[in-house]
Amino acid sequence: GTLILVSHDRWFVNLLATRVIEVRRDSIRDYHGTYEEYVHACGDDHLDADTVLKAQREVKRGRRTEPAGNGRRQESRRSADNGDAARRAREQRLAEVTAEAESTEARLAAIDGSFAAPRFFTDTPAPEVRALQAERAELEQRLERLMSEWERLESEVAAPT
């Protein structure tokens, strides 16, 4: 009676999961409970891109309020600010990719909903069905590209500086 489920859809996971196993690069966290309970126990939803971005912005704001220090520190800080700018650009792109992936998934779900409707294939003209099938295929390819980019950006943003 065991099912291992891997999904980016947190609502779906929360609906089904009674145990959450988070696999990280350097550790594994095993939590007995729903995803919502797991997030509450962790104190934040570190898998939610918006929450992660907000937390990182707060950390960066905290760093900027530190005193300037000597010339070497300022040079180091300028270099770090350039790195921060690149990091912010990656974070911004990550947010854009996340939003685009979500809208693509929503459109895929709408098309699938149409296909699942009773009598859809008998009542819908064949050219319209073919057009939806072609759109769905394009959306799946786009989603695959977006998820690859999302994974790359996520690992870059999460990498220590």
Side-chain angles (χ1 to χ4, degrees):
T2 300
L3 173 70
I4 296 176
L5 172 73
V6 178
S7 176
H8 291 283
D9 186 338
R10 288 181 288 284
W11 173 83
F12 180 68
V13 171
N14 190 55
L15 186 68
L16 296 176
T18 58
R19 180 176 177 185
V20 176
I21 300 173
E22 179 183 9
V23 179
R24 292 181 171 209
R25 193 172 302 186
D26 58 346
S27 66
I28 295 176
R29 183 183 290 175
D30 187 359
Y31 183 83
H32 293 270
T34 66
Y35 180 75
E36 187 175 347
E37 294 167 343
Y38 169 75
V39 169
H40 183 68
C42 290
D44 68 337
D45 188 352
H46 58 279
L47 300 177
D48 180 36
D50 293 333
T51 303
V52 170
L53 290 175
K54 183 179 176 186
Q56 288 174 346
R57 283 188 203 114
E58 289 172 4
V59 167
K60 286 178 186 174
R61 284 187 193 121
R63 264 192 260 154
R64 288 197 182 105
T65 60
E66 296 173 347
N70 64 24
R72 262 192 208 144
R73 257 193 185 157
Q74 288 176 352
E75 181 63 34
S76 172
R77 183 161 299 181
R78 264 185 244 124
S79 174
D81 285 345
N82 289 341
D84 284 347
R87 187 176 189 85
R88 280 192 301 276
R90 283 192 300 270
E91 290 171 350
Q92 175 63 33
R93 180 60 187 152
L94 180 62
E96 291 168 0
V97 168
T98 300
E100 191 175 343
E102 288 173 353
S103 67
T104 302
E105 287 175 331
R107 180 60 185 149
L108 280 168
I111 292 172
D112 289 346
S114 295
F115 287 167
R119 303 186 45 84
F120 173 80
F121 289 98
T122 56
D123 294 347
T124 307
E128 189 177 326
V129 171
R130 281 194 296 277
L132 281 173
Q133 288 171 331
E135 180 185 359
R136 188 179 192 299
E138 289 174 19
L139 289 169
E140 281 184 323
Q141 290 175 351
R142 183 160 123 214
L143 185 59
E144 194 171 311
R145 285 190 307 271
L146 288 167
M147 293 309 290
S148 293
E149 184 177 1
W150 182 87
E151 288 174 2
R152 180 184 56 79
L153 289 166
E154 182 69 26
S155 65
E156 289 175 6
V157 167
T161 56

